[in-house]
Amino acid sequence: EVQLRSDRREVELELRSDPLIMPATTRATLLLALLASSARGFAPSRPAGRRQATATCRRSHNRMLEEKPRPLYCVNVKLCVTPAARDTFLTCIRENQAGTLRTEPLAVKYLVGEDAHTPNTFHFLEQYMGEAGFAAHTESAHFKAWEVFAATEPFTAPPMVAFYEEDLIGPCAWAVADVNPGQALYCRSAALAVLPDRRVDFLAAARAAQQGALTFEQACATFIFGEDLNTPNTFHMFEQYMGEDGWLEHVKSESFAAWSTFEATAPFSSLPTAAFYETIEPTKE
């Protein structure tokens, strides 16, 4: 059995050894040890191509720590739209998206995309600077226009809405990959119901998976997660990658192997749910 160590150099040297003579589970355990030591103040080595972006991310994160930031208020939405209402929906949601990002000072992100496997099913991620930011959003003219559309019965199932605050213990969760403005990204949104007695284990594993993806994966652009504000021990994850190939590379990564090792210990009270979609970028005016 591999013993977790706080000596980062020793762990890094073992990780650099020939993977053909080291079992995958051993490498996954060592990676968790390295990530744990990094979270305590070390900065693990990164590919040269990401140095500038990651440095910017670290400076922003350090500044946020100095300012004692409040976690962003996040909203995940799933909407199943009737085929007849699709075009009107897309027009309305683009106007809502543009209005939110252009006129709301407390709005941080507004992402929307169509499910990769189910036509006319759409997913949203919205982020605001506190619950007050979301409350202000619901008072806006573009949101009122959205409510008018929603009252026309355009959905085949009741909308699903989840509220959560992002976990801020881990690293900066945005703007790590070299993403061009307006570039569509491949997204994964997941909901996980964690057993109460596995909560601490889950948080450690999720933070390690987050840091591993953001630190070592060139194609990972975003990795956030947080606990549902209405259902204790239910957590929401949101990830973005540079195309579907970026996600497939993530699945091959050591951080994903470590996460899979944790998942195999049956930490959930029900099966996790996940959806994949590509973002619909805001139109330029």
Side-chain angles (χ1 to χ4, degrees), residues 170-225:
C172 176
W174 292 93
V176 176
D178 186 15
V179 181
N180 296 320
Q183 179 177 353
L185 296 174
Y186 192 74
C187 306
R188 177 180 183 267
S189 178
L192 309 99
V194 180
L195 292 168
D197 62 348
R198 300 301 307 280
R199 176 187 177 90
V200 173
D201 297 336
F202 166 80
L203 288 171
R207 289 164 184 164
Q210 179 192 55
Q211 186 164 352
L214 293 175
T215 303
F216 296 108
E217 296 179 34
Q218 294 273 7
C220 181
T222 304
F223 194 127
I224 66 172
F225 75 96

Side-chain angles (χ1 to χ4, degrees), residues 152-169:
T152 64
E153 300 184 355
F155 307 122
T156 60
M160 298 178 63
V161 184
F163 300 92
Y164 60 102
E165 290 186 342
E166 64 172 334
D167 182 88
L168 285 181
I169 302 300

